[in-house]
Amino acid sequence: MRPLHNNISQHILSPLDCHSKHLSLNEMTLNELKPGHTAVILKIHGHGAFRKRVIEMGFTRGRKITTVLNAPLHDPVKYTLMGYEVSLRRAEAQLIEVLPIENDFEFDDISHLNTTEENVSVVNDFNGKTHTINIALIGNPNCGKTSLFNIASGAMEHVGNYSGVTVDSKTGHFDHNGYRFNIVDLPGTYSLSAYSPEELYVRRYLKNQRPDVIVNVVDASNLERNLYLTTELIDMNRPMVIALNMYDELQKSGATLDYENLGQMIGVPVVPTVSKTGFGIDRLFDTIIDIYENRHKTVRHVHVNLGTDIENALLGLREIIRSEPSIEEHFAPRYIAIKLLEHDSECEELIKSSPVYDRLIAVRNKEEEKLKLLHHDDVSSLIANEKYGFIAGALAETMTPSEKSAVSSTRIIDAFVTSPLFGFPIFFIIMFFIFWATFTVGAYPMEWIERLVEILSGLVNHHMPDGPLKDLLANGVIGGVGGVIVFLPNILILYFFISFMEDSGYMARAAFIMDRVMHKLGLHGKSFIPLVMGFGCNVPAIMASRAIESRSSRIITILINPFMSCSARLPVYVLLTGTFFGAKATIVLMSMYILGIVAAFITSRLLRRFFFKKDETPFVMELPPYRLPTMKASLRHMWSKGKQYLQKMGGIILVASIIVWALNYFPLHDEMSSVPENKEQLTDNHIDTSRDSYLEMMGKAINPVFTPLGFTWRPTVALIAGIPAKEIVVSTLGVLYTGDEDIDNQALSSRLTKPSSVTGKPDFTSASALAFMVFVLLYCPCIATLTAIVKETGHWGYGAFSAIYNTAFAWVVAFIVYRIAILF
């Protein structure tokens, strides 16, 4: 299908239109239209009486409207349409979306025109613009929103079977039946209260962006819980369709649902879908078009009956809200009234500046006292009970439960993986297998890539004339980038397994069994998922911490996350463990990850003890059913991460490698310069300006700080270069350990064991290699991670703390490890 925006462009640039003025393609709201300017009405936002009234007065799509003048205080504004004049307040005009046109262009109202008219080009322009539908995907965590988003928009966002994968909104596009859909995938949320960051984010999006149609994605296998959010969206009175997702699981369970009858009962069309296969997607978007064009017969506004007493309490509040148009500008009066009864802080803030605020609060308090006396319970519980009663009644009328045995595969698997006896052993066996596969299985393709890099380096060395260009290509580009790209298979394998655990639902179980351990650290199980995600990349893991309700627990989780050994550090481990530890490489590799976890736990205890007061939050987390991930989904996630890794190769790592090469190559010295015969008197920190490069002089100047850790100047330079991105550590080593003709065609691991031309000893030993890995694991996070810390905590001080504390902690631990290692 040809994208709609291409069609618009063709009409605008066609010869038919070149002689005249055209429609402007800059949408705006009516209050932004300057006096004397004309526009065409696109959409009417808002709710209830306002929307109904202005439509009755002729404010319909395709109608031409002109701004006449502003009142003396610039509010209200006078407009003309259909030959008469009307005034609107700016707050009301802001709810009307328009498309400006040039004043000297003849344009008739085209509400009822078709493409056989003379101005076919203009009609196409207008229809092309108005046939853009903005939709928002809203649903509970694990309901398949992101899967639906991916299959509709063609995006490759990660899908995980646990709460907190979508921690921010994602946007995409989809063309269907001549319409362009702008799709926004919002964070998963259980309700629209002001309890969690996700709930606030979704509600503020609905308040500020006003999507044309809401797609409420519900899990067909867990309808009673999922439909609670649906009742809140019904209270909002927004155009909506329900995507009955994972419909295949409902069918497999043996249950039946009369979804058409359910839609009639609640006034919202219901469309069964299966996101992973694409079933029902076309029908879903056809339904969205019908809702957008106001022609779907099922759509009607239904009040979720909350019982006589609560309904009576809402009446007085709704009347007051309707008397003040500025309040119902964003949400329906009924929704605001319900939230006021629930003491919703965000809703109270919304009405605080209103002149009827005090009156509303007084009436709310009075009605609340009445309800407490009648029912001896808080209002929030009463409302929730009534809504779940409404849901139970609707499902009783439309759903026939399965007659199959209630014992499910999920329950059987959980009997083992979450049991006190087997839970932890299974977890550690899984983690050990992942690290073993990452190192052992990844070694084969790693050797192939390594061989290709050696061949390429050999071709450059033997076929190019000596000079700076040859040295740059052989030692800078191939030595630097090639030294990192060989670890791509290890990265891909690690991400594949992490993706598989997330998609299967096991990650939520890992959080469940780790809750008691996390609790002893002053955190809870929800903190575990961002920490495990940190094994892939610390940046999205830190963003995933938004799912933690407690601010102090969230900040602690963010600050300890950099200790989780991300995939960028993996090349360093694979290089050094393979070079110095042989058959014990897997154990050493896994010990690095365990050490990172221990460091995180120690830091968490220190932060909770000295910086944050005790703040225990209840561990409430959904344990979704196990689902066998599709190979396509796991491979797609694996490749998306691999592609990011490759992009780094051609970006920051290439640039860093060239900079390191230049500093190591210059200044050029007389070839007669030689090392003094008495090497014994030389130390690795001795600066010789007659033979040292700029980089060597810099490294030797800094190296005394790292000498107690067993590092020479080359490893020290690699650590400093790795601050922007940890992958640069290996690329820097690749650049620094080149230049000797007898080892040019050898792998980097072989070069590390060669004796230094200055000291006669190799720069790395088993002890210093172990200390080096420990320091890389624990020291200053990369720039992207520091940026994420500052953004998510809202204060630069936390980023500075992470950089300073982590580096000091790394030095102390690496020193201890080195001193213990040299004893053995």
Side-chain angles (χ1 to χ4, degrees):
M1 185 179 297
R2 187 168 57 180
L4 187 60
H5 62 82
N6 290 342
N7 296 339
I8 298 172
S9 301
Q10 289 167 4
H11 287 306
I12 294 172
L13 300 175
S14 65
L16 176 65
D17 293 331
C18 288
H19 66 277
S20 63
K21 303 286 186 181
H22 304 135
L23 287 164
S24 167
L25 292 183
N26 297 317
E27 293 179 11
M28 59 171 62
T29 54
L30 185 57
N31 71 307
E32 297 174 305
L33 193 67
K34 295 179 180 179
H37 288 239
T38 303
V40 180
I41 296 173
L42 295 182
K43 298 173 186 175
I44 309 296
H45 299 288
H47 309 278
F50 164 75
R51 180 182 172 86
K52 186 173 185 296
R53 181 62 174 161
V54 294
I55 289 175
E56 289 173 349
M57 294 177 65
F59 286 77
T60 55
R61 193 177 62 148
R63 187 74 64 190
K64 187 168 69 173
I65 186 168
T66 302
T67 302
V68 180
L69 56 85
N70 298 320
L73 297 178
H74 295 280
D75 198 13
V77 183
K78 184 163 71 172
Y79 302 94
T80 61
L81 80 161
M82 297 176 61
Y84 77 96
E85 296 182 343
V86 61
S87 68
L88 289 178
R89 291 178 179 173
R90 287 191 176 273
E92 296 165 341
Q94 191 176 4
L95 300 176
I96 300 173
E97 192 176 317
V98 298
L99 182 70
I101 61 175
E102 297 292 344
N103 293 339
D104 58 346
F105 178 57
E106 294 185 7
F107 184 90
D108 297 324
D109 289 343
I110 60 171
S111 309
H112 309 291
L113 294 185
N114 56 46
T115 55
T116 62
E117 300 283 340
E118 292 187 307
N119 51 358
V120 60
S121 176
V122 176
V123 173
N124 283 335
D125 278 345
F126 177 74
N127 285 340
K129 191 63 177 175
T130 56
H131 283 182
T132 298
I133 304 177
N134 301 314
I135 64 175
L137 305 182
I138 299 177
N140 287 188
N142 309 313
C143 69
K145 282 186 306 80
T146 306
S147 295
L148 193 151
F149 173 81
N150 285 344
I151 198 165
S153 66
M156 295 179 64
E157 296 298 339
H158 178 44
V159 180
N161 191 15
Y162 64 90
S163 172
V165 174
T166 306
V167 293
D168 208 340
S169 63
K170 301 176 179 68
T171 59
H173 306 283
F174 179 68
D175 292 326
H176 179 73
N177 281 355
Y179 288 77
R180 161 57 63 98
F181 294 88
N182 295 324
I183 310 172
V184 177
D185 177 22
L186 294 171
T189 177
Y190 293 105
S191 72
L192 296 176
S193 302
Y195 179 62
S196 71
E198 289 85 3
E199 292 169 350
L200 282 174
Y201 187 96
V202 172
R203 194 162 73 178
R204 286 171 181 173
Y205 179 89
L206 293 176
K207 170 180 171 286
N208 298 322
Q209 301 301 322
R210 297 193 295 264
D212 298 319
V213 180
I214 293 172
V215 179
N216 178 209
V217 186
V218 303
D219 180 355
S221 63
N222 195 355
L223 279 173
E224 190 167 8
R225 205 278 318 285
N226 277 245
L227 288 175
Y228 184 84
L229 176 61
T230 306
T231 62
E232 293 211 301
L233 293 169
I234 289 173
D235 291 335
M236 280 190 171
N237 190 20
R238 298 284 184 91
M240 181 169 67
V241 59
I242 293 175
L244 191 64
N245 205 25
M246 304 179 193
Y247 188 66
D248 55 334
E249 294 188 11
L250 176 70
Q251 293 176 313
K252 287 177 185 176
S253 71
T256 59
L257 175 70
D258 185 354
Y259 56 84
E260 291 185 349
N261 188 24
L262 177 63
Q264 293 285 347
M265 292 176 64
I266 63 177
V268 181
V270 180
V271 181
T273 60
V274 181
S275 294
K276 65 181 180 182
T277 64
F279 170 80
I281 300 299
D282 286 347
R283 182 181 171 189
L284 174 65
F285 282 91
D286 287 338
T287 304
I288 293 172
I289 292 171
D290 289 341
I291 295 172
Y292 176 75
E293 299 291 359
N294 296 314
R295 60 183 182 223
H296 202 289
K297 296 179 181 179
T298 301
V299 176
R300 62 192 180 97
H301 182 50
V302 175
H303 283 175
V304 177
N305 194 301
L306 300 178
T308 304
D309 295 333
I310 296 177
E311 291 294 338
N312 288 337
L314 292 174
L315 280 175
L317 291 170
R318 287 168 59 194
E319 290 302 317
I320 300 172
I321 293 169
R322 282 175 175 159
S323 70
E324 181 53 47
S326 63
I327 297 180
E328 61 173 335
E329 176 183 335
H330 300 290
F331 294 122
R334 179 179 175 82
Y335 175 79
I336 297 175
I338 292 172
K339 288 302 172 186
L340 281 177
L341 276 179
E342 293 178 333
H343 281 265
D344 186 281
S345 58
E346 186 84 357
C347 193
E348 290 185 13
E349 190 65 30
L350 183 69
I351 65 170
K352 208 162 193 177
S353 59
S354 168
V356 296
Y357 172 76
D358 293 335
R359 187 179 164 201
L360 272 173
I361 296 301
V363 172
R364 188 273 308 275
N365 293 341
K366 180 181 177 183
E367 296 295 342
E368 183 184 17
E369 287 301 318
K370 284 184 184 178
L371 290 170
K372 284 182 177 179
L373 288 172
L374 287 170
H375 298 276
H376 306 288
D377 202 352
D378 66 278
V379 178
S380 295
S381 297
L382 294 174
I383 292 174
N385 289 337
E386 292 294 342
K387 286 193 172 185
Y388 275 115
F390 172 84
I391 294 167
L395 292 178
E397 292 288 330
T398 58
M399 189 172 183
T400 304
S402 170
E403 297 180 358
K404 295 181 181 179
S405 172
V407 178
S408 64
S409 58
T410 292
R411 216 175 272 183
I412 295 171
I413 297 171
D414 273 350
F416 292 94
V417 301
T418 62
S419 72
L421 181 61
F422 299 110
F424 283 105
I426 289 174
F427 173 74
F428 287 116
I429 289 170
I430 289 173
M431 298 305 292
F432 182 84
F433 174 76
I434 291 173
F435 297 134
W436 172 84
T438 299
F439 185 82
T440 306
V441 178
Y444 296 102
M446 176 183 165
E447 289 176 3
W448 305 334
I449 299 174
E450 197 173 59
R451 182 58 185 156
L452 288 174
V453 172
E454 290 172 10
I455 292 171
L456 186 58
S457 179
L459 289 173
V460 172
N461 280 321
H462 288 93
H463 292 87
M464 285 189 69
D466 291 339
L469 181 59
K470 172 185 174 180
D471 204 84
L472 169 62
L473 291 176
N475 300 333
V477 177
I478 299 175
V481 177
V484 181
I485 201 170
V486 296
F487 301 102
L488 178 63
N490 308 95
I491 302 294
L492 294 178
I493 291 170
L494 178 65
Y495 269 116
F496 176 83
F497 283 113
I498 290 178
S499 172
F500 191 90
M501 284 201 304
E502 291 173 349
D503 295 351
S504 66
Y506 179 74
M507 194 74 86
R509 272 70 185 183
F512 174 78
I513 65 176
M514 291 297 293
D515 176 56
R516 188 162 186 175
V517 176
M518 304 302 289
H519 182 74
K520 290 183 180 298
L521 301 173
L523 303 173
H524 62 76
K526 270 193 177 181
S527 297
F528 185 72
I529 287 178
L531 295 180
V532 174
M533 288 179 67
F535 290 147
C537 180
N538 297 140
V539 175
I542 287 170
M543 294 174 66
S545 301
R546 295 179 193 173
I548 303 169
E549 291 85 1
S550 164
R551 174 170 170 77
S552 64
S553 294
R554 184 165 65 252
I555 291 176
I556 292 175
T557 305
I558 288 170
L559 292 178
I560 67 176
N561 204 288
F563 290 122
M564 299 297 102
S565 192
C566 69
S567 60
R569 299 174 173 105
L570 185 60
V572 181
Y573 304 155
V574 174
L575 172 65
L576 296 180
T577 54
T579 303
F580 294 98
F581 298 101
K584 299 178 181 178
T586 301
I587 296 174
V588 174
L589 179 65
M590 188 171 182
S591 68
M592 288 297 107
Y593 287 83
I594 294 174
L595 177 60
I597 295 170
V598 172
F601 286 178
I602 292 172
T603 303
S604 176
R605 290 297 297 167
L606 292 174
L607 289 171
R608 181 63 78 184
R609 175 72 184 274
F610 295 107
F611 293 97
F612 298 96
K613 63 181 182 179
K614 194 74 174 176
D615 183 14
E616 294 184 8
T617 55
F619 177 55
V620 181
M621 182 176 179
E622 180 186 1
L623 294 177
Y626 287 101
R627 295 188 175 98
L628 185 63
T630 63
M631 184 60 68
K632 179 182 177 181
S634 296
L635 290 175
R636 186 170 64 180
H637 178 233
M638 177 189 77
W639 173 242
S640 69
K641 295 301 181 184
K643 187 167 68 173
Q644 292 176 16
Y645 189 72
L646 289 173
Q647 287 170 345
K648 281 188 177 181
M649 299 301 102
I652 185 172
I653 293 175
L654 176 61
V655 173
S657 297
I658 293 173
I659 293 172
V660 170
W661 168 85
L663 291 172
N664 193 43
Y665 187 79
F666 296 104
L668 298 175
H669 295 293
D670 188 348
E671 292 184 2
M672 298 302 293
S673 297
S674 61
V675 181
E677 293 181 4
N678 191 5
K679 295 182 181 178
E680 309 263 337
Q681 296 178 356
L682 290 178
T683 66
D684 193 65
N685 298 329
H686 175 75
I687 298 176
D688 184 355
T689 56
S690 67
R691 62 179 304 276
D692 291 350
S693 66
Y694 292 129
L695 192 65
E696 190 169 356
M697 288 185 272
M698 291 166 54
K700 290 179 177 179
I702 301 169
N703 197 55
V705 177
F706 295 95
T707 300
L709 310 184
F711 302 164
T712 62
W713 71 268
R714 288 184 180 87
T716 298
V717 168
L719 291 173
I720 295 169
I723 292 175
K726 295 298 179 282
E727 295 94 340
I728 299 176
V729 172
V730 172
S731 69
T732 302
L733 292 175
V735 174
L736 293 175
Y737 288 94
T738 56
D740 295 334
E741 292 183 4
D742 60 328
I743 60 170
D744 268 347
N745 293 329
Q746 294 183 14
L748 177 56
S749 57
S750 301
R751 302 177 204 149
L752 296 180
T753 57
K754 294 292 179 180
S756 167
S757 60
V758 177
T759 63
K761 301 176 183 178
D763 285 354
F764 280 99
T765 63
S766 296
S768 64
L770 194 60
F772 188 83
M773 287 189 289
V774 169
F775 196 88
V776 169
L777 164 68
L778 302 175
Y779 84 121
C780 176
C782 69
I783 297 299
T785 301
L786 288 175
T787 303
I789 291 173
V790 172
K791 181 180 177 183
E792 294 302 314
T793 58
H795 197 286
W796 66 268
Y798 290 111
F801 170 83
S802 185
I804 297 169
Y805 170 80
N806 289 25
T807 303
F809 189 84
W811 195 97
V812 172
V813 177
F815 176 81
I816 295 171
V817 168
Y818 178 67
R819 293 300 163 185
I820 294 174
I822 58 177
L823 296 177
F824 298 95

